[in-house]
Short mmCIF file of all heavy atoms in Angstrom, two decimals:
data_model
loop_
_atom_site.label_atom_id
_atom_site.label_comp_id
_atom_site.label_asym_id
_atom_site.label_seq_id
_atom_site.Cartn_x
_atom_site.Cartn_y
_atom_site.Cartn_z
N PRO F 309 -2.48 -3.92 -16.75
CA PRO F 309 -3.01 -5.27 -16.54
C PRO F 309 -3.85 -5.75 -17.68
O PRO F 309 -4.39 -4.91 -18.49
CB PRO F 309 -3.86 -5.14 -15.23
CG PRO F 309 -4.32 -3.73 -15.28
CD PRO F 309 -3.22 -2.95 -15.91
N ARG F 310 -4.04 -7.02 -17.79
CA ARG F 310 -4.98 -7.56 -18.80
C ARG F 310 -6.37 -7.44 -18.24
O ARG F 310 -6.62 -7.75 -17.05
CB ARG F 310 -4.62 -9.00 -19.13
CG ARG F 310 -3.23 -9.16 -19.76
CD ARG F 310 -2.96 -10.63 -20.06
NE ARG F 310 -3.89 -11.15 -21.02
CZ ARG F 310 -3.84 -12.43 -21.44
NH1 ARG F 310 -2.91 -13.27 -20.93
NH2 ARG F 310 -4.71 -12.88 -22.32
N PHE F 311 -7.34 -7.02 -19.04
CA PHE F 311 -8.69 -6.86 -18.53
C PHE F 311 -9.69 -7.08 -19.65
O PHE F 311 -9.36 -7.03 -20.84
CB PHE F 311 -8.88 -5.47 -17.96
CG PHE F 311 -8.48 -4.32 -18.84
CD1 PHE F 311 -9.21 -3.96 -19.98
CD2 PHE F 311 -7.30 -3.61 -18.60
CE1 PHE F 311 -8.83 -2.90 -20.78
CE2 PHE F 311 -6.90 -2.54 -19.40
CZ PHE F 311 -7.69 -2.21 -20.49
N GLU F 312 -10.95 -7.35 -19.23
CA GLU F 312 -12.03 -7.46 -20.15
C GLU F 312 -12.51 -6.05 -20.53
O GLU F 312 -12.60 -5.14 -19.67
CB GLU F 312 -13.19 -8.22 -19.54
CG GLU F 312 -12.90 -9.69 -19.25
CD GLU F 312 -12.67 -10.47 -20.57
OE1 GLU F 312 -13.33 -10.10 -21.59
OE2 GLU F 312 -11.90 -11.42 -20.59
N PRO F 313 -12.85 -5.77 -21.80
CA PRO F 313 -13.25 -4.47 -22.22
C PRO F 313 -14.41 -3.91 -21.44
O PRO F 313 -14.39 -2.73 -21.03
CB PRO F 313 -13.58 -4.65 -23.71
CG PRO F 313 -12.81 -5.80 -24.13
CD PRO F 313 -12.74 -6.74 -22.97
N GLU F 314 -15.42 -4.72 -21.15
CA GLU F 314 -16.61 -4.19 -20.46
C GLU F 314 -16.26 -3.82 -19.02
O GLU F 314 -16.82 -2.85 -18.50
CB GLU F 314 -17.70 -5.25 -20.45
CG GLU F 314 -19.08 -4.77 -19.94
CD GLU F 314 -19.62 -3.63 -20.78
OE1 GLU F 314 -19.34 -3.59 -22.03
OE2 GLU F 314 -20.34 -2.79 -20.26
N TRP F 315 -15.36 -4.55 -18.35
CA TRP F 315 -14.91 -4.22 -17.04
C TRP F 315 -14.25 -2.86 -17.03
O TRP F 315 -14.47 -2.00 -16.16
CB TRP F 315 -13.92 -5.28 -16.54
CG TRP F 315 -13.26 -5.04 -15.23
CD1 TRP F 315 -13.72 -5.32 -14.00
CD2 TRP F 315 -11.99 -4.38 -15.03
NE1 TRP F 315 -12.82 -4.93 -13.02
CE2 TRP F 315 -11.78 -4.36 -13.61
CE3 TRP F 315 -11.04 -3.78 -15.91
CZ2 TRP F 315 -10.59 -3.76 -13.09
CZ3 TRP F 315 -9.89 -3.24 -15.33
CH2 TRP F 315 -9.68 -3.22 -13.95
N ALA F 316 -13.37 -2.58 -18.03
CA ALA F 316 -12.67 -1.28 -18.06
C ALA F 316 -13.61 -0.12 -18.34
O ALA F 316 -13.53 0.90 -17.65
CB ALA F 316 -11.60 -1.37 -19.15
N VAL F 317 -14.56 -0.33 -19.25
CA VAL F 317 -15.50 0.75 -19.57
C VAL F 317 -16.37 1.08 -18.36
O VAL F 317 -16.60 2.26 -18.05
CB VAL F 317 -16.36 0.32 -20.77
CG1 VAL F 317 -17.46 1.37 -21.01
CG2 VAL F 317 -15.49 0.21 -22.03
N GLN F 318 -16.81 0.03 -17.67
CA GLN F 318 -17.67 0.29 -16.50
C GLN F 318 -16.90 1.03 -15.40
O GLN F 318 -17.47 1.92 -14.72
CB GLN F 318 -18.18 -1.06 -15.96
CG GLN F 318 -19.25 -0.88 -14.84
CD GLN F 318 -20.49 -0.18 -15.32
OE1 GLN F 318 -21.12 -0.63 -16.26
NE2 GLN F 318 -20.80 0.97 -14.72
N ARG F 319 -15.65 0.72 -15.20
CA ARG F 319 -14.88 1.43 -14.15
C ARG F 319 -14.69 2.89 -14.54
O ARG F 319 -14.75 3.78 -13.65
CB ARG F 319 -13.51 0.72 -13.94
CG ARG F 319 -13.65 -0.60 -13.26
CD ARG F 319 -12.25 -1.20 -13.00
NE ARG F 319 -11.44 -0.47 -12.05
CZ ARG F 319 -11.46 -0.68 -10.75
NH1 ARG F 319 -12.26 -1.58 -10.22
NH2 ARG F 319 -10.70 0.02 -9.92
N LEU F 320 -14.48 3.20 -15.80
CA LEU F 320 -14.33 4.60 -16.21
C LEU F 320 -15.65 5.34 -16.02
O LEU F 320 -15.68 6.49 -15.58
CB LEU F 320 -13.86 4.65 -17.65
CG LEU F 320 -12.46 4.18 -17.92
CD1 LEU F 320 -12.17 4.08 -19.40
CD2 LEU F 320 -11.40 5.09 -17.24
N MET F 321 -16.74 4.68 -16.34
CA MET F 321 -18.08 5.33 -16.16
C MET F 321 -18.37 5.52 -14.69
O MET F 321 -18.92 6.53 -14.27
CB MET F 321 -19.14 4.48 -16.83
CG MET F 321 -19.05 4.40 -18.34
SD MET F 321 -20.20 3.23 -19.09
CE MET F 321 -21.76 3.95 -18.62
N ASN F 322 -18.01 4.54 -13.86
CA ASN F 322 -18.21 4.69 -12.44
C ASN F 322 -17.41 5.86 -11.86
O ASN F 322 -17.90 6.59 -11.00
CB ASN F 322 -17.78 3.40 -11.70
CG ASN F 322 -18.74 2.27 -11.89
OD1 ASN F 322 -19.86 2.44 -12.33
ND2 ASN F 322 -18.33 1.06 -11.52
N LEU F 323 -16.22 6.01 -12.38
CA LEU F 323 -15.38 7.17 -11.88
C LEU F 323 -16.05 8.49 -12.22
O LEU F 323 -16.15 9.39 -11.37
CB LEU F 323 -13.98 7.11 -12.55
CG LEU F 323 -13.01 8.22 -12.15
CD1 LEU F 323 -12.66 8.12 -10.68
CD2 LEU F 323 -11.77 8.16 -13.03
N LEU F 324 -16.58 8.65 -13.44
CA LEU F 324 -17.24 9.87 -13.81
C LEU F 324 -18.52 10.06 -12.96
O LEU F 324 -18.82 11.21 -12.57
CB LEU F 324 -17.64 9.84 -15.32
CG LEU F 324 -16.45 9.86 -16.30
CD1 LEU F 324 -16.96 9.88 -17.73
CD2 LEU F 324 -15.57 11.09 -16.06
N CYS F 325 -19.25 8.99 -12.69
CA CYS F 325 -20.45 9.11 -11.87
C CYS F 325 -20.10 9.57 -10.46
O CYS F 325 -20.77 10.46 -9.90
CB CYS F 325 -21.21 7.79 -11.80
SG CYS F 325 -22.03 7.32 -13.36
#
Side-chain angles (χ1 to χ4, degrees):
R310 297 180 62 182
F311 52 74
E312 293 293 330
E314 190 62 30
W315 174 88
V317 173
Q318 188 62 59
R319 288 182 68 88
L320 292 171
M321 294 173 62
N322 287 347
L323 180 66
L324 292 181
C325 288

